Amino acid sequence: MILYTIIALYYIICMLFEKILEKQINRKMWLVFLLLPLFFMAALRAPTVGTDTLNYYQSYLIISQESFFSESASRMEIGYVMLARLLSTLGLDFLGFQIITTAFIFFSFGKFILKYSKNIAFSVYFFVASRMFFATMNISRQYIAVAILLLSVEFIKKRQFLKFFLIVLLASLFHTTAIVFLVIYPIVQLRLNFKKTIVFISLGIVSGILFDYIVQFFINITGRYQEYLAGGYFNFEGNVAIYFNLLINFSFFIVGVLIRYWDIPIKMNNNCDKLKDLGIRKVKLISNETIWYASCLITFILSIVGLNSTIMDRIETYFTVFFLAYIPSLVQGIKSKEIRVIVTGSIVIGLFANFVLIMIYRPNWNLVFPYNWYWDWNW
């Protein structure tokens, strides 16, 4: 726990450093410097680090013994199984597989942060303090799907639905739940405003009331996750974490509403309205801010629905990832310098406090400590 606390504090210092030397920093080198230590920790972790890592290890051993096109004894999705078979055929053991999949996750996240974040250190700090980093060492199969979905942002912006759909389909081959990401496409086509936001929240409340029926419908359609019904995923039983999650997501959402985030002007550098490089005139692009706000809105709605279920936090993952760009942009959108400082400080302190408290009172959530290197692990 002390190790992760020091890491979080380190990135807070990096945020201050970036703020002071913002114009003198090489963004690419700075991003590599910030993410590399986290990559090595995730890629070279022992199978005991992360709740599901040992299951992935055992599944990889099973999959590596199967013929390439045979039916797998593993319950993993076909995309994950085929990737494991391909890498095992090339002679890689589980550590090699873990390094390659982790490299892809960090490459995709890094590419996204580099392109869209207005404050790289802030985004990386959020990645750590929101426990996304822990999740990469736990539910890594889902984070492969998330990393794939991040590649779809440009297709959303350019309204290229077929390419967007194919990316989502590919992600669903690694985690079936990734298919829910399709919902963001029609939402960003709308010109979101306060009235439409209220409508969506109302629909979220209705969905929460009808939650049990929606879950059963999804399971019937996909034919998967039936085993979760018998577990503790579809009930909350007074789980305080759900209310904390709702509070955090509400805080990010309400700040966006108060500053009318959807009205932030479209800038020429990232959100230009014309695809000049393609020679196409007056082709409207979806702005970055529209995607970030839509993701925040969906996350908040899922938090409301999630009052019925702890597993909704997993679904939120596909949308909270955009907080890596949304939060720095949100802060920058606040006109008053004094209020901007207060909001930034509140976010940093609030995330840090939540991060530490969860490690103290819920150390078994992700099972990422004590941290052990792969070579120190004995089966």
Side-chain angles (χ1 to χ4, degrees):
M1 188 185 78
I2 295 177
L3 171 63
Y4 296 116
T5 303
I6 292 174
I7 289 174
L9 290 172
Y10 167 73
Y11 285 116
I12 292 176
I13 295 173
C14 288
M15 286 176 59
L16 298 173
F17 185 80
E18 181 173 338
K19 183 64 177 178
I20 296 172
L21 301 176
E22 183 176 4
K23 295 181 179 180
Q24 302 175 39
I25 291 177
N26 181 309
R27 283 175 59 88
K28 288 184 178 180
M29 295 301 296
W30 181 235
L31 178 65
V32 171
F33 175 78
L34 293 175
L35 285 183
L36 206 56
L38 300 178
F39 164 72
F40 282 127
M41 288 186 66
L44 303 177
R45 72 188 186 278
T48 53
V49 179
T51 307
D52 293 342
T53 307
L54 190 57
N55 290 332
Y56 290 136
Y57 172 82
Q58 294 170 337
S59 295
Y60 188 79
L61 294 182
I62 294 172
I63 294 170
S64 63
Q65 299 300 315
E66 299 170 340
S67 60
F68 200 84
F69 294 105
S70 65
E71 184 177 352
S72 178
S74 170
R75 66 178 180 84
M76 308 295 184
E77 282 83 351
I78 186 62
Y80 185 87
V81 170
M82 296 306 290
L83 177 62
R85 284 179 177 172
L86 175 62
L87 296 182
S88 64
T89 300
L90 295 175
L92 274 68
D93 61 4
F94 178 74
L95 178 60
F97 173 78
Q98 183 171 266
I99 291 173
I100 289 178
T101 53
T102 303
F104 172 70
I105 292 171
F106 273 76
F107 171 79
S108 182
F109 272 69
K111 181 180 179 181
F112 176 81
I113 292 172
L114 181 65
K115 187 168 186 177
Y116 298 111
S117 175
K118 298 181 183 298
N119 188 309
I120 291 176
F122 199 169
S123 295
V124 176
Y125 170 72
F126 187 89
F127 178 69
V128 172
S130 66
R131 294 178 293 116
M132 286 187 192
F133 174 54
F134 286 177
T136 64
M137 298 190 290
N138 178 24
I139 51 175
S140 54
R141 181 165 50 96
Q142 183 174 8
Y143 263 74
I144 294 174
V146 173
I148 293 172
L149 291 176
L150 287 177
L151 304 178
S152 72
V153 174
E154 282 301 305
F155 301 135
I156 297 175
K157 287 166 60 67
K158 296 177 182 178
R159 303 174 191 266
Q160 297 176 338
F161 177 73
L162 180 58
K163 293 181 179 179
F164 165 76
F165 177 77
L166 291 175
I167 290 292
V168 176
L169 185 61
L170 177 61
S172 69
L173 295 179
F174 287 85
H175 207 282
T176 308
T177 58
I179 202 72
V180 302
F181 191 68
L182 287 171
V183 73
I184 198 172
Y185 193 87
I187 292 178
V188 298
Q189 308 301 317
L190 304 172
R191 291 188 176 181
L192 291 172
N193 52 36
F194 183 75
K195 290 183 179 180
K196 292 177 182 177
T197 295
I198 296 299
V199 170
F200 277 113
I201 292 176
S202 300
L203 291 174
I205 294 174
V206 173
S207 297
I209 296 173
L210 302 175
F211 178 78
D212 291 341
Y213 299 99
I214 295 173
V215 168
Q216 191 60 60
F217 176 76
F218 177 80
I219 291 175
N220 292 338
I221 291 296
T222 62
R224 301 180 63 86
Y225 306 111
Q226 182 69 38
E227 66 272 13
Y228 288 121
L229 287 176
Y233 292 98
F234 288 101
N235 60 78
F236 66 95
E237 297 180 352
N239 193 334
V240 178
I242 291 180
Y243 297 103
F244 271 114
N245 183 57
L246 176 61
L247 178 62
I248 291 172
N249 291 333
F250 174 74
S251 300
F252 295 147
F253 168 74
I254 199 63
V255 173
V257 171
L258 291 175
I259 69 170
R260 298 178 64 85
Y261 187 78
W262 55 81
D263 283 340
I264 290 180
I266 297 175
K267 299 180 180 180
M268 291 300 295
N269 57 349
N270 287 326
N271 304 327
C272 59
D273 286 335
K274 297 180 181 180
L275 296 176
K276 294 182 179 179
D277 56 330
L278 298 180
I280 302 176
R281 296 181 179 181
K282 297 182 179 179
V283 177
K284 294 289 185 178
L285 293 182
I286 302 296
S287 69
N288 295 338
E289 290 78 19
T290 297
I291 299 174
W292 311 159
Y293 180 72
S295 299
C296 181
L297 174 60
I298 295 171
T299 299
F300 179 52
I301 292 172
L302 289 173
S303 297
I304 296 174
V305 178
L307 291 175
N308 293 280
S309 164
T310 58
I311 202 172
M312 292 306 293
D313 182 59
R314 293 283 190 95
I315 305 300
E316 288 178 30
T317 300
Y318 298 114
F319 304 98
T320 54
V321 64
F322 292 103
F323 282 6
L324 296 175
Y326 172 68
I327 300 303
S329 174
L330 181 70
V331 170
Q332 194 174 87
I334 300 174
K335 296 180 180 180
S336 170
K337 182 178 180 181
E338 291 76 14
I339 296 178
R340 188 162 61 245
V341 171
I342 293 173
V343 171
T344 302
S346 299
I347 292 174
V348 172
I349 295 172
L351 284 173
F352 183 79
N354 184 63
F355 181 66
V356 173
L357 287 174
I358 287 177
M359 287 194 295
I360 293 174
Y361 293 106
R362 292 293 184 271
N364 61 323
W365 273 4
N366 298 115
L367 295 182
V368 293
F369 48 89
Y371 180 85
N372 292 300
W373 297 103
Y374 191 90
W375 49 80
D376 293 330
W377 172 66
N378 293 313
W379 173 247

